[in-house]
């Protein structure tokens, strides 16, 4: 698996799947989540509502992942995962790692070969970028997956530089 880094907006990525840094409600929010629903159109939210009505009545638990189609986005699928809120008193690293491995597991189940990830939990959820990059790389390198290209899409130069220095 090739690991690549780009600076940019994940909603513009051509990939079989892009990953959404969602919340348990699956019903939208700010950051990446807001951008995906805004650019992808109402179909994604409609499928998220169906997931809530069927398998995830209480919401998607932290560290898990689930897919919808990608509406009007250039990608084929959106894989929604819920990162942990950063805490200094409670080590939630395993949950952040789980977002990456569970998203790759879902990607494999869809037959996706190219997958774009944002830096999960590093925005609203407050995870320090360098630590998030370390956890992300460790998790994806350990994962057994048929994905051939895993692209990290970093929103700004500072985030890109941190990921590059950790790769
Ligand atoms: N493309 C790529 N990266 C982005 C984009 C974009 N369009 N927009 C923001 N980022 P966040 P979280 C970066 O807050 O921390 C939402 O409200 C951003 O700079 O999107 O996991 C959800 O509904 C940061 O580095 O996700 C949840 O409630 C990274 O993406 C909550 O936020 C993640 O920031 C999830 O918080």
């Amino acid at each position: 698996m090739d690991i690549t880094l780009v600076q940019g907006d994940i909603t513009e990525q051509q990939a079989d799947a892009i990953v959404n840094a969602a919340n348990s409600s699956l019903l939208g929010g700010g950051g990446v989540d807001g951008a995906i629903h805004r650019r992808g159109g109402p179909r994604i939210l409609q499928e998220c509502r169906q997931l809530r009505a069927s398998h995830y009545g209480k919401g998607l638990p932290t560290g898990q992942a689930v897919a919808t189609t990608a509406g009007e986005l250039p990608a084929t699928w959106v894989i929604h995962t819920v990162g942990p809120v950063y805490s200094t008193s409670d080590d939630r690293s395993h949950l952040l790692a789980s977002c990456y491995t569970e998203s790759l597991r879902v990607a494999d189940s869809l037959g996706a070969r190219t997958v774009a990830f944002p830096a999960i939990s590093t925005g609203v959820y407050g995870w320090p970028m360098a630590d998030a990059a370390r956890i992300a790389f460790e998790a994806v390198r350990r994962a057994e997956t048929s994905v051939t290209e895993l692209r990290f899409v970093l929103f700004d130069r500072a985030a890109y530089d941190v990921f590059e220095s950790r790769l």
Side-chain angles (χ1 to χ4, degrees), residues 107-156:
D108 283 340
S109 76
L110 298 167
R113 292 291 176 267
T114 56
V115 181
F117 279 90
I120 298 163
S121 287
T122 63
V124 174
Y125 284 177
W127 209 292
M129 194 62 75
D131 197 48
R134 175 187 65 80
I135 292 164
F137 288 139
E138 279 177 15
V140 303
R141 285 195 174 118
R142 260 201 324 265
E144 282 181 29
T145 175
S146 302
V147 168
T148 55
E149 188 202 344
L150 191 158
R151 194 183 309 150
F152 285 100
V153 182
L154 294 320
F155 204 40
D156 57 28

Side-chain angles (χ1 to χ4, degrees), residues 6-13 19-39 81-86 96 99 117-127 129 152-156 159 163:
V6 300
Q7 186 190 332
D9 182 339
I10 201 163
T11 65
E12 293 171 4
Q13 297 297 309
V19 175
N20 182 15
N23 61 61
S24 287
S25 81
L26 292 174
L27 301 179
V32 174
D33 199 7
I36 284 174
H37 284 288
R38 210 162 38 242
R39 300 277 306 262
T81 190
V82 182
V85 175
Y86 183 68
L96 184 54
C99 289
F117 279 90
I120 298 163
S121 287
T122 63
V124 174
Y125 284 177
W127 209 292
M129 194 62 75
F152 285 100
V153 182
L154 294 320
F155 204 40
D156 57 28
F163 266 68

